[in-house]
Amino acid sequence: MQKIQIERTTAPKAKPADESKLGFGKIFTDHMYVMEYNPEQGWHDPKIMPYQPIVLDPSAMVFHYGQEMFEGMKAYKCADGRIRLFRPNKNIERANNSNRRLCIPEIPADDFLNAIKTLVAVDADWIPSRPGTSLYIRPFVIATDPFLGVRPSNTYKFIIILSPVGAYYESGLDPVKIWIEDDYVRAVRGGIGEAKTGGNYVASLAAQVKAHDEGYSQVLWLDGVERKYIEEVGAMNIFFKINGTVVTPMLNGSILPGVTRASCIDLCKHWGLPVEERRISVDELVEAARTGALEECWGSGTAAVISPVGALRYENEVMQIKDGGIGEFSQKLYDTVTGIQTGKVEDTLGWTVEVTPLEK
Amino acid sequence: MQKIQIERTTAPKAKPADESKLGFGKIFTDHMYVMEYNPEQGWHDPKIMPYQPIVLDPSAMVFHYGQEMFEGMKAYKCADGRIRLFRPNKNIERANNSNRRLCIPEIPADDFLNAIKTLVAVDADWIPSRPGTSLYIRPFVIATDPFLGVRPSNTYKFIIILSPVGAYYESGLDPVKIWIEDDYVRAVRGGIGEAKTGGNYVASLAAQVKAHDEGYSQVLWLDGVERKYIEEVGAMNIFFKINGTVVTPMLNGSILPGVTRASCIDLCKHWGLPVEERRISVDELVEAARTGALEECWGSGTAAVISPVGALRYENEVMQIKDGGIGEFSQKLYDTVTGIQTGKVEDTLGWTVEVTPLEK
């Protein structure tokens, strides 16, 4: 494992005064982590330095050919005063899966975890403690060759930045309304849908704008081949409880393999509840909603953790779920996952990793 | 039209001494163009300034969500000493089509053209004159909001950089070998395939690496739905001459509408040759190659202009075209298009736009 050189800021920023107004992804901490890659040295020279702008040649490949990968995870200040990460190795494994698909060199897992733990430790004072808040961790890689030709870059920067973030739902869980999109497509089998990379997100914007205009907060995507099977929400995976069975789309290469998704499945199995990862057609969903077999629906993701879905719209049909309220099982999942993350529920599954603050 | 403020460099770089060794996209000129966007002022404050690094917050949205658009075109120093652009308004129109799909604000066409003409005029000394060389023009837009949430950015930079580039084929036209990919997918109907944006290029890298390893220089993509119909080469559109008819895949939403593609079609029509824009299955292609009906194949794109294809490989079948040599019609197209671009062939179709060098 490589030793990280630490240069502390001499001009610490003021921390947010009101933890009820953090929002998401707008405020950044005092430090950032940067590691460079070139073919001769591989990943080398890891540093923690004062948070500062990135300076790149205008021809840097990331600006032109989209060779970029990111991850998202959170650190929590727990009731017992300790700092915990939630399943960081799942994110690191996924990051390297994304890297392989995007022809970005893999990052050694131990250096990756050490980078996260050390940076969070350096900026531990920035972790908010108000219920529902956390420190969002954004690792990302960008291609930096100053070259205008299409090929994998030879040089990269791996950067981690931190953002104290508010509760996703300030006044408790609030069901969302979701638009099922049948015109635009996010990703397709054989493409880059299972990699966490910018191209999938820019592809989602036009449909997101359309859904917002119609009064829906998020888009549920259908598969790109038949436009028939449920895929994911873009910022979340999707779950349904149908006739007592929990059902979620199987990982098919175009869906992001969410860490919260995996945790929901693991918890259901742990509780002895039937779970099916399979293809779900939108017709099956509409039928289940009509007959009342569709008991609950929720999204899972790092930002919202568990997000109950109150309504789904497909073409001209609006499916109300739980009369727009919160399902008992969604609430139980939310309480359990956030409980484990924040140390209020015993971590019998060994999911959390503790971070020890650094002495100054 | 907005007035461009011009700040000239006080430290001009040395120009490339040997125009036979320019390569592609590695050398940049003395100046760049930058225009900023925000919701209050729209696109504003256009400047030409010394070529310099871009400085962005690490949370700038382009690094995370891929909201970026680019174009590619060329300026030529012609035999008569004049400087000409080739159909710049086609690129500008396509750029704004890309912008709409990517939720980037459109750029006024007259400001866009004025930006290109003025920047090329300022750096006119950088246009190489050796046959086959040109000044490559790379306009691009990047999303700059310092924000980690998925939505269209509120702020953008529109930048143009210039690169003197060599002849694509130093020793004259040289047929390429192309790999028809049946595993990876570049883009799908409903996605962003017809926009010129990073996400389509990063998606192509893994297949490109695979093709290179097999001894093929480029990848020909099949459609993402049926994996059956010919799409494009990624850096080029593709044309076939089958039984005397020129055939090219129709624009279906997942193919880039190439300016050189349009010019090939226009020229064929001008010459009275039958042209079909339609779906072409890979099976039809294999059959045409087997029976000898496949007379020629070439790619069209800004970088190579016209690129004869000597061999196509699909699964285990290698289709030799013209015994790996150059087809007469490919050669005629190349001579005509490059002739019009460089002023050697009369521009009866009104495709070129002259640039007048600026006094210093």
Side-chain angles (χ1 to χ4, degrees), chain A residues 24-26 28 32 51-59 62-68 70 101-103 136 138 140 142 146-148 150-152 161 183-185 188-192 197-199 201-206 208-209 224-225 227, chain B residues 24-26 28 32 51-59 62-68 70 101-103 136 138 140 142 146-148 150-152 161 183-185 188-192 197-199 201-206 208-209 224-225 227:
Chain A
F24 190 91
K26 296 184 294 189
F28 299 93
M32 63 198 277
Y51 188 89
Q52 61 193 267
I54 300 175
V55 178
L56 290 174
D57 196 273
S59 65
V62 65
F63 295 133
H64 305 271
Y65 306 118
Q67 208 188 1
E68 56 190 49
F70 73 91
R101 178 63 183 87
L102 305 168
C103 299
Y136 183 77
R138 169 56 59 92
F140 63 108
I142 54 175
F147 177 61
L148 296 185
V150 181
R151 59 150 172 78
I161 56 177
D183 184 11
Y184 292 112
V185 170
V188 70
R189 185 171 48 96
I192 53 174
T197 184
Y201 294 84
V202 70
S204 76
L205 295 177
Q208 189 183 306
V209 168
V225 174
R227 310 277 183 113
Chain B
F24 190 91
K26 296 184 294 189
F28 300 94
M32 62 197 278
Y51 189 88
Q52 59 194 269
I54 300 175
V55 178
L56 290 174
D57 196 272
S59 66
V62 65
F63 295 133
H64 305 271
Y65 307 118
Q67 209 187 359
E68 57 189 48
F70 73 90
R101 179 63 183 89
L102 305 168
C103 299
Y136 183 76
R138 168 57 59 92
F140 64 107
I142 54 175
F147 177 62
L148 296 184
V150 181
R151 58 153 174 75
I161 55 177
D183 183 10
Y184 292 112
V185 169
V188 70
R189 184 171 48 97
I192 53 176
T197 184
Y201 295 83
V202 70
S204 76
L205 295 178
Q208 188 182 307
V209 168
V225 175
R227 311 275 184 117

Side-chain angles (χ1 to χ4, degrees), chain B residues 6-7 50 74 84 100 135 182 193 195 235 251 270 301 314:
Chain B
I6 301 177
E7 181 204 343
K74 286 175 172 173
R84 289 187 177 87
R100 274 194 300 279
L135 186 70
D182 60 358
L251 300 179
H270 187 68
Y314 178 61

Side-chain angles (χ1 to χ4, degrees), chain B residues 216-243:
Chain B
Y216 289 77
S217 66
Q218 305 210 35
V219 172
L220 180 60
W221 298 97
L222 299 179
D223 76 284
V225 175
E226 300 188 56
R227 311 275 184 117
K228 185 175 163 184
Y229 295 100
I230 303 289
E231 297 232 310
E232 58 157 271
V233 177
M236 302 193 294
N237 293 108
I238 192 92
F239 283 83
F240 306 98
K241 190 154 166 278
I242 301 175
N243 275 334

Side-chain angles (χ1 to χ4, degrees), chain B residues 73-342:
Chain B
M73 53 203 300
K74 286 175 172 173
Y76 301 86
K77 187 160 279 171
C78 300
D80 58 7
R82 296 186 179 176
I83 300 165
R84 289 187 177 87
L85 305 171
F86 185 69
R87 308 188 84 176
N89 290 315
K90 297 281 282 182
N91 291 86
I92 292 169
E93 186 188 340
R94 184 173 66 182
N96 278 328
N97 290 339
S98 297
N99 282 339
R100 274 194 300 279
R101 179 63 183 89
L102 305 168
C103 299
I104 294 171
E106 288 178 54
I107 299 162
D110 55 350
D111 284 318
F112 201 139
L113 183 60
N114 188 41
I116 293 167
K117 289 173 81 169
T118 310
L119 183 62
V120 170
V122 166
D123 275 341
D125 289 352
W126 281 86
I127 312 176
S129 54
R130 185 184 160 91
T133 65
S134 58
L135 186 70
Y136 183 76
I137 302 166
R138 168 57 59 92
F140 64 107
V141 176
I142 54 175
T144 55
D145 276 8
F147 177 62
L148 296 184
V150 181
R151 58 153 174 75
S153 182
N154 291 314
T155 59
Y156 299 86
K157 281 182 194 290
F158 170 41
I159 300 171
I160 307 175
I161 55 177
L162 306 174
S163 174
V165 298
Y168 204 79
Y169 303 105
E170 258 306 315
S171 47
L173 276 184
D174 191 15
V176 294
K177 290 170 66 186
I178 287 188
W179 172 272
I180 302 178
E181 174 62 30
D182 60 358
D183 183 10
Y184 292 112
V185 169
R186 174 187 168 275
V188 70
R189 184 171 48 97
I192 53 176
E194 66 184 335
K196 206 158 172 72
T197 184
N200 295 324
Y201 295 83
V202 70
S204 76
L205 295 178
Q208 188 182 307
V209 168
K210 184 168 90 172
H212 282 188
D213 289 347
E214 297 279 349
Y216 289 77
S217 66
Q218 305 210 35
V219 172
L220 180 60
W221 298 97
L222 299 179
D223 76 284
V225 175
E226 300 188 56
R227 311 275 184 117
K228 185 175 163 184
Y229 295 100
I230 303 289
E231 297 232 310
E232 58 157 271
V233 177
M236 302 193 294
N237 293 108
I238 192 92
F239 283 83
F240 306 98
K241 190 154 166 278
I242 301 175
N243 275 334
T245 295
V246 172
V247 186
T248 193
M250 60 194 288
L251 300 179
N252 60 357
S254 65
I255 295 175
L256 194 82
V259 176
T260 316
R261 174 187 180 278
S263 305
C264 285
I265 293 170
D266 291 347
L267 279 176
C268 290
K269 289 181 179 166
H270 187 68
W271 291 332
L273 205 74
V275 191
E276 295 173 3
E277 296 179 68
R278 61 170 171 87
R279 298 213 293 188
I280 307 155
S281 74
V282 67
D283 292 342
E284 175 186 348
L285 190 65
V286 169
E287 185 60 22
R290 282 184 189 154
T291 62
L294 177 58
E295 297 158 7
E296 294 191 34
C297 174
W298 65 90
S300 69
T302 294
V305 190
I306 300 295
S307 190
V309 176
L312 289 161
R313 173 164 160 183
Y314 178 61
E315 293 174 347
N316 290 320
E317 178 130 1
V318 178
M319 297 169 254
Q320 286 279 342
I321 303 162
K322 286 269 165 193
D323 293 325
I326 300 169
E328 299 74 25
F329 192 71
S330 311
Q331 184 74 54
K332 180 180 174 186
L333 266 177
Y334 179 82
D335 292 342
T336 307
V337 177
T338 58
I340 293 171
Q341 289 170 335
T342 57

